[in-house]
Amino acid sequence: MSEKTVTVRVPGTTANCGPGFDSMGMACTIYNELTLTLLEDETIDIEVTGAGAEDIPINATNVVWTTVRYLLEKAGNTTYHGCRMRMHNNVPLSRGLGSSATAIVAGLKAANVILDNYFDDDQLLKLATDIEGHPDNVAPAIFGGFTISAMHEGVPQCYHFMPEMPLKLVVAVPDFYLSTSKARKVLPTEVSLKDAIFNVGRASMLAAALAHNNAEFLKIAIDDKLHQPYRAQLIPGMYDVFAKAKEAGALGVAMSGAGPCIIAFTLENNEAVGEAMKNEFARHYVNADILQLELDSQGAIVIEN
Ligand code: HSE
């Protein structure tokens, strides 16, 4: 009877970054950890602690486990049928910081290491995107840093790098869940050419500003007309929180992923920015915690094998 155990750490992520809807993402210095043991028998023994633990199923429907099974099937495994999993989560659940991407990437990474790295990282990105539906959160969770992803002939392609700019990511985390599917339902199926042009320019500018360490262009770049205006109705006071964060010194502010987290990008005054966001949310009767984060450079890593 053989058992193999591995522990992986996966960063939370912020997708879209304003203009890069379904394309851009950043890995953040907040982490979930998974210790996975694959078993030959059909035991399923799952324990979850930390953020949102009470709302995460610990049976065969657990996303990490269904992801592990997906990878095992793709790798043609016939050895392993069960698992023991211990997960500790710091990434807030269902708030726009990539909690579902961390679960998927953690399952894939850990199972892949147990299978002696049967797949490379690009193949893991493909598997993760198949499961998640879009690559913008799973890409930074795998690679770290800033990621630009695009689907090419059905396969996600990802350009990633670690910006030199010492960006601080100030995240206001409201105390309510917002599912990505609900936040996608309010989006239009078509947008105007004018709005598309607005985003094309800013997304390109954002990538260039991060690549060339140009904070001035970042200020112009972090804006959006493709998704945030439609989703604002789901987050009380969203644009007021944006305005207060900028007044307090943020370079730019955006919804984090599909929300409800709001993320401010700043080089200084991060404490004041956080306080301003929290106070403005409170004025709209929303309790929000503030996370002071930075960019993670490593992505998913093995911390014990
Ligand atoms: N790009 C996605 C969205 C991120 O905004 O819907 C959330 O998973």
Side-chain angles (χ1 to χ4, degrees):
M1 180 100 168
S2 80
E3 274 189 19
K4 284 197 186 173
T5 300
V6 64
T7 300
V8 297
R9 187 190 83 169
V10 183
T13 57
T14 184
N16 303 329
C17 307
F21 181 65
D22 275 4
S23 313
M24 290 178 170
M26 289 181 186
C28 308
T29 50
I30 184 166
Y31 302 96
N32 288 349
E33 261 185 41
L34 165 70
T35 299
L36 172 70
T37 306
L38 287 182
L39 307 170
E40 290 184 10
D41 66 35
E42 293 188 358
T43 304
I44 294 176
D45 169 11
I46 301 174
E47 242 178 64
V48 186
T49 53
E54 60 285 357
D55 294 325
I56 297 173
I58 51 169
N59 51 34
T61 67
N62 179 278
V63 172
V64 179
W65 173 236
T66 55
T67 301
V68 168
R69 283 182 40 203
Y70 184 73
L71 180 137
L72 292 174
E73 194 190 307
K74 294 284 176 193
N77 156 81
T78 52
T79 308
Y80 300 113
H81 304 281
C83 71
R84 195 159 53 242
M85 299 198 315
R86 299 291 176 261
M87 284 181 267
H88 184 74
N89 297 337
N90 292 304
V91 178
L93 193 66
S94 209
R95 309 288 166 85
L97 276 177
S99 58
S100 94
T102 62
I104 291 165
V105 170
L108 292 176
K109 181 84 181 175
N112 195 45
V113 170
I114 291 176
L115 298 190
D116 296 324
N117 293 310
Y118 184 89
F119 297 108
D120 65 24
D121 278 350
D122 290 331
Q123 291 170 312
L124 290 187
L125 176 63
K126 165 87 171 73
L127 297 177
T129 304
D130 289 346
I131 298 167
E132 175 90 332
H134 38 86
D136 55 343
N137 280 114
V138 292
I142 292 171
F143 297 111
F146 174 63
T147 58
I148 306 168
S149 309
M151 299 303 291
H152 179 63
E153 296 174 352
V155 179
Q157 306 293 326
C158 176
Y159 185 84
H160 55 97
F161 62 93
M162 183 65 189
E164 271 177 38
M165 205 183 288
L167 270 184
K168 306 230 180 278
L169 310 175
V170 187
V171 185
V173 187
D175 64 352
F176 62 90
Y177 290 161
L178 175 55
S179 72
T180 298
S181 64
K182 184 173 174 192
R184 290 181 88 84
K185 280 202 183 101
V186 300
L187 299 178
T189 50
E190 290 176 12
V191 296
S192 70
L193 184 61
K194 197 168 152 225
D195 288 352
I197 292 167
F198 183 96
N199 271 56
V200 168
R202 280 164 180 77
S204 312
M205 199 177 277
L206 176 58
L210 289 171
H212 298 288
N213 205 10
N214 186 320
E216 281 309 304
F217 277 106
L218 207 73
K219 284 188 195 166
I220 303 167
I222 298 179
D223 204 349
D224 166 77
K225 285 197 190 285
L226 296 187
H227 69 110
Q228 293 181 170
Y230 307 98
R231 289 170 161 174
Q233 56 177 301
L234 303 172
I235 306 176
M238 186 180 96
Y239 283 119
D240 290 341
V241 174
F242 281 21
K244 291 291 174 189
K246 280 193 189 159
E247 261 175 53
L251 295 171
V253 196
M255 284 179 76
S256 183
C261 279
I262 292 180
I263 184 162
F265 301 84
T266 184
L267 291 172
E268 51 190 12
N269 300 327
N270 53 306
E271 294 293 340
V273 169
E275 209 178 300
M277 294 166 86
K278 187 178 174 70
N279 290 342
E280 191 56 24
F281 259 138
R283 226 173 53 78
H284 291 271
Y285 308 102
V286 175
N287 284 320
D289 288 334
I290 300 298
L291 299 171
Q292 295 287 352
L293 308 176
E294 294 177 11
L295 276 161
D296 162 273
S297 64
Q298 291 183 294
I301 57 167
V302 176
I303 53 177
E304 210 175 313
N305 186 7

